Amino acid sequence: MKDDTQPWKSNTVEPTSRTSLEARLDTLESRVAFQDDWLETLDRLVREQANELEKLTRLNQLMRERLSEQRQAIDDLGGDVPRPEDELPPHY
């Protein structure tokens, strides 16, 4: 028995190409799911780092204010105590 059908004229998808398309679709869906998960992870890490940076910025500002208050208190008490930034390094 001779098969005279011509696959390029057929309206149906060949089983092998359908399987190939399904495999490609599965691969793409898997990649998208992985990328979505990765983006969520990166987004979470960026938010955590932004929060940490905000905390450190507030702490830095608080430390600057307290250091300024301490300098002012030293100036009010004696005034003649040299500041570290005013002292010359030993090699001068």
Side-chain angles (χ1 to χ4, degrees):
M1 179 170 192
K2 185 176 178 187
D3 185 13
D4 290 337
T5 60
Q6 299 172 346
W8 59 87
K9 293 182 179 179
S10 174
N11 289 337
T12 61
V13 176
E14 293 179 26
T16 56
S17 76
R18 183 174 180 93
T19 303
S20 174
L21 289 174
E22 287 175 354
R24 288 180 62 201
L25 182 60
D26 288 343
T27 301
L28 290 173
E29 287 176 342
S30 176
R31 289 180 70 187
V32 167
F34 176 76
Q35 289 175 351
D36 283 346
D37 181 57
W38 186 242
L39 285 174
E40 288 175 16
T41 300
L42 288 175
D43 186 50
R44 181 180 46 82
L45 290 174
V46 167
R47 281 193 314 267
E48 288 174 4
Q49 288 180 346
N51 290 339
E52 185 69 20
L53 181 60
E54 185 179 333
K55 288 177 188 177
L56 291 172
T57 301
R58 285 189 304 229
L59 181 60
N60 186 19
Q61 183 61 35
L62 180 63
M63 292 174 68
R64 286 175 177 264
E65 290 171 5
R66 288 193 179 168
L67 182 58
S68 178
E69 291 170 2
Q70 289 177 353
R71 285 182 183 161
Q72 185 63 41
I74 289 172
D75 287 345
D76 291 346
L77 289 176
D80 59 345
V81 177
R83 291 183 174 182
E85 63 268 15
D86 295 334
E87 294 182 16
L88 292 176
H91 63 278
Y92 280 117

